[in-house]
Amino acid sequence: MVLPDLPNAVEGKVVVRYPPEPSKHPHIGQMLSFCINHLIAEKYKGRRVLRFDDTNPERIKEEFYEGFREAISWMELKIDQEVLASNYMDTYYEKAEGLIKNGDAFVCSCEREAFSKLRAEGKSCQCNLNNATEKNIDLFEQMMKGEFSVGEAVLRLRGDMQSDNSALRDPVLLRISEFPHAIQGDKYHIWPMYDFESPIMEEITGVTHIFRSIEFGKMREELQSLISKKLNIIPPEFYEYSRFNIIGAPTQGRVIRELVEEGVVNGWDDYRLVTYQALKNRGIQPQVFSEIVERVGITKSTTNIDWSLIFSINRKIIEPRSKHYFFVDEPIEIVLLNPEPVELEISLHPYNKDLGKRKVKVNETLYLSGTDKKLLKENEILRMKDLYNIKIVKKINEKKYEAEIFGDELLPKIPRLQWVSEPVKIEIVKPEMLYLNNRINKDSLEYITGFGEKSISNLKIGEIVQLERFGYTKVNKKNDKIKMNYIHG
RNA sequence: GCCUCGAUGGUGUAGCUCGGCCAAUCAUUGCGGACUCUCACUCCGCAGACCCGGGUUCAAAUCCCGGUCGAGGCACCA
């Protein structure tokens, strides 16, 4: 995809931002959003600011700051500057006072519902009409000192109560909250709203271009531009794009939270989720996200990303560096009637020879996958891949057959099957789509057990391998049996 | 209800500003084939789309009007 050409973008002068609110774990929507901004900065050789929008003390938690830093650096995105919006409280207060002095803001003590009614009717409230500048300054100082309690007063912009854009109808600039802030403690009583904080932080960090999803809306853009204007700040260029949905996965933080709390999923890092932790643990590679952005583009219509796209990109990254092993699902025992002890070395990758080889010993028993059961007919000749041919002699029962070695010449057009001779138990968790037709898919987590080759037990936790004709998996845990998670086919 | 924005194959996207080179791009997906001691990777081929109706024009995916559907916003959240 070609990134859009930005208005007023000069190479080397562009500044973009990653503006997370540290109130939750990062999820794919934010990750893609970071990538978009990163890519824009790359295109124009610009600067990237990580700005924590932490001005709502009720929502933020200290642990979440690090989560975002981690996700960004994991994706190999650059950060040139990091700021905390909550470190600039005095600036918001100063700017607010400036606004009051210019008659652009007033302290309002209306009840919430009452004001909302006025807003619907397009009428100004008495506080706007009656309070003189001097009085407003007075009132605001009292607010800062903590002389009002929560809900008793707010500072509002003197906007336009009749504007079509309801965001412009005397919006709140600062409000009271006595909730202790995760970083700033209980030092402050009044906190800026996003629309007030944002333009100021943009100015402080020199942001020139804002890329954000449409949930912030054109109305906000207009409001923020108006606030900038009253503050004598040149507003940045705004650019908006639609939200990203992943088909079959919830992408809204609120929904994910509910699923976690209700126990529908096993936590924020459940493989069926599209949170940073889940994706990372599942085995999706950090480079995938920027690539997704380049492939799906930046548009204003809702973008439904299919898992198959993610898998395709990921597969191409991990394919050349994943060791290959054999794994058999629902194992079927093959007893060889004419066994020959064999020790052999098999390449760990068909063309990447750097990955080396694994040693395998074969004696009188082989295990084949239950999914190949239909091939197990008497007198059928099958190729044991990289080994020799066998001929099925007799079925003992559903799980056991007798066979004999039938030469090692590679015969044309016979099935080539993966096999296991020195079995180790493996349990694989396979995630499917959490939602099917908008309903929770109860069977979205499948547990598959089977036998893997012995050398799989030498793998390190976290290693990604290809189990031939099964899929890519990642080593998760090793104790009595090896636990892996299925990444994709 | 009000205010924005959007609509191209199953999915995503290019093209729309400046109508003709568009019997519509690329990717993903599906199918077939080649390669390979994997159903992976790579390569080749095939399949599948301009929301609807009207208008302007020699000519419309592209411009205009009217619908329909979808998304987002309308907080003392961000």
Side-chain angles (χ1 to χ4, degrees):
Chain A
M1 187 214 54
V2 195
L3 289 168
D5 285 318
L6 304 184
N8 301 324
V10 180
E11 190 168 296
K13 303 258 177 186
V14 168
V15 182
V16 297
R17 21 142 263 181
Y18 315 128
E21 181 192 38
S23 64
K24 51 187 173 300
H25 298 280
H27 61 79
I28 195 166
Q30 290 164 307
M31 292 166 80
L32 294 174
S33 172
F34 298 157
C35 290
I36 289 172
N37 282 284
H38 171 262
L39 257 14
I40 293 292
E42 290 279 281
K43 175 173 175 177
Y44 289 100
K45 300 186 175 26
R47 213 155 54 79
R48 308 141 182 93
V49 178
L50 167 59
R51 179 181 91 216
F52 285 104
D53 278 331
D54 58 350
T55 49
N56 180 357
E58 289 145 41
R59 280 169 59 111
I60 63 158
K61 283 196 182 130
E62 195 172 357
E63 58 183 290
F64 295 125
Y65 289 81
E66 196 50 36
F68 283 100
R69 291 187 189 104
E70 195 191 307
I72 291 169
S73 67
W74 179 73
M75 290 189 290
E76 297 159 18
L77 307 183
K78 263 174 65 187
I79 300 171
D80 298 291
Q81 183 188 359
E82 180 189 309
V83 289
L84 267 52
S86 67
N87 276 342
Y88 295 84
M89 298 298 283
D90 293 335
T91 310
Y92 309 129
Y93 297 162
E94 269 168 42
K95 300 276 186 191
E97 277 172 325
L99 249 26
I100 298 169
K101 280 178 189 153
N102 290 335
D104 288 325
F106 63 96
V107 173
C108 175
S109 51
C110 293
E111 300 235 335
R112 210 180 219 185
E113 293 75 25
F115 193 90
S116 135
K117 202 173 163 216
L118 289 171
R119 176 173 271 172
E121 291 164 354
K123 291 180 192 154
S124 292
C125 72
Q126 291 307 306
C127 320
N128 182 351
L129 268 16
N130 298 342
N131 292 357
T133 301
E134 282 310 309
K135 190 178 171 196
N136 278 319
I137 291 175
D138 230 44
L139 254 20
F140 185 62
E141 273 168 12
Q142 289 177 41
M143 275 175 75
M144 283 197 288
K145 283 186 207 151
E147 290 175 17
F148 289 106
S149 34
V150 178
E152 278 185 351
V154 292
L155 186 75
R156 289 185 183 277
L157 180 76
R158 234 190 279 270
D160 174 1
M161 288 305 274
Q162 266 146 57
S163 173
D164 264 355
N165 178 354
S166 52
L168 263 31
R169 321 237 254 237
D170 294 7
V172 173
L173 262 18
L174 292 115
R175 53 131 188 183
I176 298 168
S177 176
E178 299 294 353
F179 208 91
H181 188 278
I183 305 286
Q184 312 297 345
D186 52 11
K187 197 167 154 194
Y188 304 104
H189 306 287
I190 56 179
W191 293 88
M193 307 301 288
Y194 173 74
D195 291 308
F196 185 57
E197 169 262 327
S198 203
I200 295 172
M201 287 310 295
E202 246 90 73
E203 158 83 353
I204 289 171
T205 52
V207 168
T208 59
H209 295 264
I210 291 178
F211 275 74
R212 53 159 51 148
S213 71
I214 46 163
E215 70 195 77
F216 292 96
K218 263 269 184 282
M219 295 160 93
R220 299 236 94 77
E221 179 184 325
E222 220 182 308
L223 205 214
Q224 290 178 22
S225 296
L226 177 67
I227 291 173
S228 296
K229 198 177 147 200
K230 305 242 185 203
L231 254 21
N232 267 317
I233 292 170
I234 300 167
E237 298 286 340
F238 291 86
Y239 202 99
E240 51 187 30
Y241 49 82
S242 77
R243 51 174 295 121
F244 297 103
N245 293 325
I246 308 296
I247 296 172
T251 36
Q252 287 160 300
R254 182 184 54 78
V255 178
I256 298 175
R257 186 185 307 275
E258 284 168 13
L259 293 173
V260 172
E261 283 167 3
E262 290 165 14
V264 177
V265 294
N266 302 320
W268 284 85
D269 57 352
D270 189 293
Y271 301 133
R272 293 164 291 182
L273 260 21
V274 288
T275 57
Y276 158 62
Q277 277 301 338
L279 263 359
K280 180 185 170 188
N281 292 351
R282 177 167 180 159
I284 304 299
Q285 300 300 296
Q287 306 84 347
V288 167
F289 302 90
S290 288
E291 183 69 26
I292 290 175
V293 170
E294 303 212 36
R295 300 260 198 122
V296 306
I298 304 171
T299 65
K300 289 187 184 176
S301 48
T302 311
T303 299
N304 298 307
I305 298 172
D306 202 283
W307 275 107
S308 70
L309 210 225
I310 299 175
F311 295 161
S312 162
I313 297 169
N314 200 60
R315 191 184 298 119
K316 277 161 199 167
I317 295 170
I318 63 179
E319 192 275 335
R321 40 169 136 124
S322 303
K323 296 172 183 169
H324 287 47
Y325 292 95
F326 295 164
F327 166 78
V328 298
D329 182 5
E330 301 167 48
I332 291 175
E333 189 180 347
I334 305 290
V335 180
L336 296 170
L337 300 173
N338 56 345
E340 294 168 18
V342 186
E343 282 188 37
L344 70 162
E345 289 195 324
I346 305 175
S347 288
L348 281 164
H349 194 278
Y351 62 86
N352 182 357
K353 301 300 175 200
D354 293 346
L355 292 178
K357 296 181 169 186
R358 76 246 198 210
K359 287 188 179 149
V360 184
K361 284 185 195 170
V362 186
N363 208 334
E364 73 280 329
T365 309
L366 290 174
Y367 295 92
L368 297 183
S369 170
T371 55
D372 290 326
K373 194 165 190 169
K374 57 187 181 300
L375 299 170
L376 304 180
K377 286 178 285 203
E378 284 180 18
N379 291 321
E380 185 80 10
I381 299 167
L382 303 168
R383 175 66 176 184
M384 301 293 99
K385 191 184 172 228
D386 299 316
L387 217 205
Y388 44 51
N389 309 317
I390 62 168
K391 183 170 161 186
I392 305 294
V393 175
K394 196 176 157 197
K395 177 177 178 176
I396 305 294
N397 60 42
E398 290 300 316
K399 300 241 165 205
K400 192 169 180 176
Y401 286 74
E402 284 178 344
E404 59 189 25
I405 299 173
F406 196 75
D408 58 6
E409 190 193 346
L410 195 56
L411 301 170
K413 290 185 181 171
I414 60 168
R416 293 162 182 177
L417 305 183
Q418 281 65 18
W419 47 272
V420 169
S421 57
E422 302 162 283
V424 290
K425 262 196 179 175
I426 298 182
E427 180 182 282
I428 296 171
V429 186
K430 186 176 182 183
E432 303 277 357
M433 291 215 273
L434 225 203
Y435 285 99
L436 281 178
N437 307 321
N438 276 327
R439 288 210 183 145
I440 299 265
N441 174 12
K442 291 219 165 40
D443 304 317
S444 50
L445 221 45
E446 192 185 347
Y447 292 86
I448 298 167
T449 50
F451 288 158
E453 302 181 30
K454 193 179 171 191
S455 50
I456 290 177
S457 53
N458 298 329
L459 291 170
K460 293 190 286 284
I461 303 243
E463 240 182 302
I464 290 173
V465 298
Q466 188 198 124
L467 301 180
E468 287 195 7
R469 287 205 310 140
F470 182 80
Y472 290 90
T473 58
K474 186 175 163 193
V475 183
N476 224 351
K477 253 186 217 155
K478 287 160 66 174
N479 36 38
D480 52 322
K481 57 186 165 192
I482 297 169
K483 295 194 177 182
M484 304 182 107
N485 64 273
Y486 185 86
I487 307 170
H488 47 65

